[in-house]
Structures are given as C-alpha cells and as structure tokens.
Amino acid sequence: KIVWWCIHKKEFSEEEKNNFREIIHLLEKKEKDREETLHTANLTHEEADKLYHEIASITRAIMDIKECETGKVNLKEHNEDVRQRIDDAKRWMNFLKTVGKK
C-alpha cells in the first residue's frame, strides 16, 4: 500500500521521508532476521523456499520504498525503465511458477 501510494504522489514532506526511512529500517531488520533464520535453522525444503520468497518480497519492498523516496519510481510516466521492471517482474513470476511445480 505504501509503495502504491508513493508512486502516485509527486513530492514528500520531511515527515513522510522520515517515515520512509523508519519503514526501511524496520524492513531491513526483518530481512536480516529472516536471512539469519534461513542460514541457521534446520528447515525443510518447503519451509526454506517459503522463507526465501518472504525475504525476496521484503527486499523488493525496501528497494521500491527507497526508489519512491528519491522520486525514481513514477508509473504515470511510461519510460523504458518502468517497462523493463515490469518485464523483469513477469519473468520472475513465471520462473517462480515453474520452480513451484517441480
């Protein structure tokens, strides 16, 4: 919801930017905790796969919020970077679907 909101807003107040930084900090902590669990816990393949996807989602959220904060993401403009990101996301989704079937 945050990423969607910030994509459609052109400018941010200092308070909003500080909120972005706080969210990023919390997500980075969560990401680090999940990575540590992935490396150290005795997980089944299914549990490890689920945790890996959760970490990837957190990483994407961090990157998107950082890009929003700096004004690099703007889906209202149809430029090559946006199209490339969409294509990349589609390829990842197709890849994940095929991995899940095996």
Side-chain angles (χ1 to χ4, degrees):
K1 290 180 181 181
I2 293 170
V3 173
W4 184 255
W5 171 78
C6 76
I7 286 171
H8 292 87
K9 188 168 178 167
K10 292 189 184 254
E11 294 182 25
F12 303 102
S13 68
E14 278 306 309
E15 181 181 352
E16 290 168 329
K17 289 179 182 181
N18 288 334
N19 288 340
F20 286 148
R21 290 181 199 109
E22 181 64 26
I23 292 168
I24 289 168
H25 174 73
L26 293 172
L27 287 172
E28 287 174 338
K29 183 180 181 326
K30 188 175 190 176
E31 177 186 39
K32 185 177 180 180
D33 291 344
R34 299 299 192 278
E35 286 175 347
E36 183 66 27
T37 301
L38 185 63
H39 289 289
T40 60
N42 186 17
L43 303 172
T44 65
H45 178 72
E46 186 177 290
E47 291 169 332
D49 189 53
K50 183 178 178 183
L51 190 55
Y52 169 79
H53 290 293
E54 183 180 342
I55 294 166
S57 296
I58 294 169
T59 303
R60 283 191 298 277
I62 292 168
M63 290 173 19
D64 288 345
I65 293 171
K66 283 180 178 180
E67 288 178 356
C68 281
E69 181 188 6
T70 61
K72 292 181 181 177
V73 173
N74 187 347
L75 291 181
K76 291 182 180 180
E77 296 178 11
H78 296 285
N79 59 33
E80 189 58 36
D81 291 337
V82 173
R83 282 191 211 113
Q84 183 63 44
R85 288 189 71 190
I86 292 169
D87 290 342
D88 290 345
K90 287 179 182 177
R91 279 194 296 280
W92 267 110
M93 291 304 297
N94 287 330
F95 171 75
L96 293 175
K97 286 177 187 175
T98 60
V99 169
K101 292 180 182 178
K102 292 182 180 180

